[in-house]
């Protein structure tokens, strides 16, 4: 799938207001029409991204007993630390009653991935589960720095979105995003026989939308991300990896904020795109590594319609809700 591409260099380096407004308008247009956009020439250094992937690969190469020194806490209330294959099941179900009806069926098709989730060390509600430094020297220090570098880039994108939505104050969104409720997710999709994915005995990541305001995705060259074609609902198209680009997508909260002007689009992770990404008689898939970074508003932020996105002819569609209450509703469905 050819995602819309936005060259972000004018936003970060130009003092020309007209050039910045063009970037903002392109960004909003992509988020309206597709809900996904590929950003190139952003301000996150290439070396930083390379180091993040190297660090993540070293993490997942550790023996299981080492990774289990920072386990994901039981239940859904704390979304941090190491989740072993089969623990998490991504779902688009949004109510407890609905979930109970489909729970058994969902769990029969496990997600074959392992995850390590990181947040701000100043987020008391979601305490980090760090590995001992002896298990992976330098991991905590690097990932803490990387977390805040991603936050910096995400804030630039939120400012551009605010301008593109015709808000007079480009910090309307960033003021509601203190950075302490974001989530850095390290993902390792295991090598499995392609037939297991094709026959749906296992899945990598089922179709879903994100809970966040925006998600920034960094991925390796393996591929597998698929985005729903909104002109053909139920049909998913590959979103090919492009080195050093950021794939940005609208989350559910920004869709609510924008009164459905911006689109939170279903996406999933399936088979790698090309046949040469399978190996051997069992057509084993390649491992896949990716890093989504979820920009989320502060827990007590009220998500209510952005002033420029409503009018007498187009009133607000959603009741206000705090970010904390929305997340509780969604997280309880996953574990």
């Amino acid at each position: 799938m050819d995602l819309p591409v936005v060259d972000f260099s004018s936003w970060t380096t130009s003092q020309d207001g007209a050039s910045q407004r063009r970037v903002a308008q392109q960004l909003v247009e992509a988020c309206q029409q597709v809900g996904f956009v590929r950003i190139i020439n952003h301000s996150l250094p290439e070396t930083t991204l390379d180091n993040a992937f190297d660090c993540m690969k070293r993490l997942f190469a550790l023996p299981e007993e080492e990774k289990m020194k920072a386990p994901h806490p039981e239940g859904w209330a704390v979304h941090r630390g190491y989740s072993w294959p089969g623990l998490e099941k991504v779902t688009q179900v949004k109510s407890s009653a609905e979930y109970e009806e489909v729970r058994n069926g969902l769990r029969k098709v496990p997600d074959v991935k392992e995850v390590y989730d990181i947040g701000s060390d100043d987020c008391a509600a979601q305490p980090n589960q760090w590995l001992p430094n002896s298990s992976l020297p330098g991991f905590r220090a690097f990932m803490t720095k990387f977390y805040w570098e991603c936050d910096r880039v995400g804030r630039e994108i939120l400012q551009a979105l605010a301008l593109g939505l015709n808000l007079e104050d480009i910090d309307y969104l960033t003021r509601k995003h203190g950075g302490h409720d974001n989530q850095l997710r390290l993902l390792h999709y295991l090598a499995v026989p392609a037939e297991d994915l094709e026959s749906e005995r296992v899945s990598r990541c089922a179709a879903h939308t994100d809970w966040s305001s925006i998600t920034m995705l960094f991925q390796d060259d393996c591929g597998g991300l698929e985005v729903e074609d909104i002109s053909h609902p139920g049909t998913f198209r590959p979103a090919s990896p492009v080195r050093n680009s950021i794939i940005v997508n609208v989350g559910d909260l920004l869709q609510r904020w924008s009164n459905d002007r911006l689109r939170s689009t279903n996406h999933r992770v399936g088979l790698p795109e090309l046949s040469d990404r399978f190996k051997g008689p069992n057509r084993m898939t390649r491992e896949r590594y990716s890093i989504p970074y979820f920009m989320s508003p502060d827990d007590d932020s009220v998500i209510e319609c952005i002033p420029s996105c409503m009018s007498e002819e187009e009133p607000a569609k959603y009741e206000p809700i705090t970010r904390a209450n929305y997340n509780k509703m969604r997280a309880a469905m996953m574990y």
Side-chain angles (χ1 to χ4, degrees), residues 76-141:
W76 56 265
V78 177
H79 208 45
R80 296 290 184 264
Y82 175 68
S83 298
W84 50 96
L87 175 64
E88 178 185 282
K89 181 62 188 180
V90 171
T91 172
Q92 192 60 12
V93 174
K94 295 185 180 180
S95 73
S96 297
E98 185 182 0
Y99 183 66
E100 287 305 317
E101 291 181 9
V102 300
R103 179 185 181 96
N104 291 336
L106 287 169
R107 288 292 173 183
K108 289 178 181 176
V109 184
D111 286 358
V112 284
K113 65 180 188 292
E114 53 181 346
V115 187
Y116 193 97
D117 288 306
I118 300 166
S120 165
D121 277 330
D122 292 326
C123 180
Q126 296 276 322
N128 276 318
Q129 310 293 308
W130 289 112
L131 288 171
N133 193 57
S134 57
S135 295
L136 192 60
F139 175 76
R140 177 174 181 171

Side-chain angles (χ1 to χ4, degrees), residues 254-279:
L254 187 56
Q255 177 169 309
R256 291 176 73 106
W257 244 325
S258 68
N259 216 22
D260 289 350
R261 186 170 298 184
L262 306 185
R263 183 184 297 273
S264 181
T265 303
N266 261 324
H267 52 286
R268 68 188 186 189
V269 178
L271 287 164
E273 295 170 51
L274 303 178
S275 59
D276 64 1
R277 288 175 177 155
F278 306 112
K279 294 181 179 179

Side-chain angles (χ1 to χ4, degrees), residues 3 55 148 271:
L3 297 179
C55 191
W148 289 109
L271 287 164

Side-chain angles (χ1 to χ4, degrees), residues 1 19 26 40 44 46 56 66 72 106 111 117 124-125 167 200 224 231 267 276 284-285 305 312:
M1 182 176 187
S19 296
Q26 291 169 0
I40 60 173
L44 192 64
E46 178 180 341
M56 174 173 59
E66 290 296 317
H72 184 290
L106 287 169
D111 286 358
D117 288 306
L167 284 162
E200 299 184 351
S231 63
H267 52 286
D276 64 1
M284 294 294 290
T285 62
C305 190
E312 289 186 8

Side-chain angles (χ1 to χ4, degrees), residues 13-33:
T13 62
S14 174
Q15 301 301 312
D16 179 7
S19 296
Q20 289 190 328
R21 184 168 289 278
R22 278 195 298 273
V23 170
Q25 289 171 341
Q26 291 169 0
L27 186 61
V28 165
E29 184 177 318
C31 291
Q32 288 175 324
Q33 296 178 354

